[in-house]
Structure formats: structure tokens, C-alpha cells
Amino acid sequence: MALISKKTPEQRAIEAGIKEQEREAAQEQREKAAAEQQMRERAQRRQQVRDAFFASPAGQARLAFERGDRVFQYSIDATKTTDPVTTLNFVCKEGWELVNGSFVFVEEGQQSRDKAGGGQNVATKGKTVAYYLFRRAEANQREKTEPWEEI
């Protein structure tokens, strides 16, 4: 007959302590991994906001100003925006003064159809593009904000 060995209270306490330490270490490791993941996601969001800023007219204006350009021009599809004033103000705050703005119709194609009684119907497809020209105006430059730093 085999002898059944019973653990002493001290042995059980030691084993319970070891298991508790292992649980705590695993929890710390999970928390550390979660914190690292949050940092990576935050850095990725910051980079996305930074890239979006420098792709915008204001970001392009900042880059042109930093290069020392004397003039800056940008164009926008006028049918995709109802009020360009906000964008124009952001460009001016980057150190530019609006000199001129103009709108042109850019033809993208035509479709013609013969009329039943003679002649033709012509449908022209296109879009209206706004062109804005700015000149360097250091007096307009405001304190630069980096929107990606707010994340």
C-alpha cells in the first residue's frame, strides 16, 4: 500500500505564494503589452494626422514658406467645397497673403446626340476649379500649431 503524503501548511502556503507571484507577473506582462499597443496606436494616429496636415493646403503652404518660396498657389475642385474661406484663412496664417482667386471650368468630355428633327444636343461634362495665388507675407504668419501634437 502506497503512503499518501500530505502537504504541510507551510508547503501549501509556499505553493500558493508562487502561484500568486506567477499570476501577478502574467498580469503585469498583459498590462505592459496593452500599454505598448496603445503607444503604437497613438504614434500611428499622430503620423496619420501629420501626413493629412502636410497634404492639406495649409500644410503645403507651410512647406513652401519654410523652403523660402515667394509665391504659393493651390487649386481646389470648387464643386467639392461650399466655403473655401476656412482653408484660405489657414493658408494666410502660415505666412501668405491672398493675391488672386479665379475659377475655371475644366472640360472632362462631351456627349452629343442627334435630334429627331435635325441638329444635335451636346452635353459637356466637367468641373469648376478654383485657383488661388498667394504671396509671401511674414507679417501674416501666426504661431505654428502642430495638430498631431494634440493626440
Side-chain angles (χ1 to χ4, degrees):
M1 194 163 171
L3 294 173
I4 300 176
S5 69
K6 291 188 176 184
K7 295 181 183 175
T8 66
E10 294 84 16
Q11 289 173 324
R12 281 188 241 130
I14 291 171
E15 287 178 358
I18 291 172
K19 285 183 180 180
E20 181 61 28
Q21 285 178 347
E22 289 172 349
R23 277 193 294 270
E24 287 174 1
Q27 180 63 25
E28 285 178 21
Q29 195 171 22
R30 284 191 298 272
E31 289 172 0
K32 183 180 176 184
E36 289 173 355
Q37 179 65 25
Q38 285 178 334
M39 286 177 51
R40 281 191 300 274
E41 289 171 358
R42 183 174 181 224
Q44 185 179 14
R45 282 193 310 271
R46 287 174 65 143
Q47 187 63 42
Q48 288 171 341
V49 170
R50 187 176 191 282
D51 292 346
F53 173 77
F54 284 111
S56 73
Q60 293 295 307
R62 181 178 294 180
L63 293 173
F65 191 90
E66 290 173 353
R67 276 194 311 264
D69 292 0
R70 304 301 298 162
V71 294
F72 173 71
Q73 177 182 324
Y74 93 92
S75 61
I76 188 168
D77 184 343
T79 58
K80 291 186 179 181
T81 183
T82 57
D83 187 13
V85 173
T86 303
T87 302
L88 295 173
N89 281 319
F90 278 123
V91 170
C92 288
K93 289 177 184 177
E94 292 295 332
W96 300 95
E97 178 183 354
L98 181 63
V99 175
N100 191 10
S102 62
F103 298 85
V104 296
F105 182 76
V106 178
E107 186 178 320
E108 295 176 333
Q110 286 186 349
Q111 189 175 40
S112 61
R113 220 178 295 157
D114 291 330
K115 288 183 177 180
Q120 286 189 329
N121 278 338
V122 178
T124 303
K125 180 181 175 189
K127 62 184 176 183
T128 303
V129 178
Y131 289 95
Y132 298 99
L133 180 65
F134 298 85
R135 76 172 141 239
R136 188 180 187 92
E138 277 113 14
N140 286 352
Q141 192 173 33
R142 300 291 180 255
E143 183 178 329
K144 292 181 182 176
T145 60
E146 275 75 14
W148 55 90
E149 294 296 329
E150 297 171 7
I151 294 177

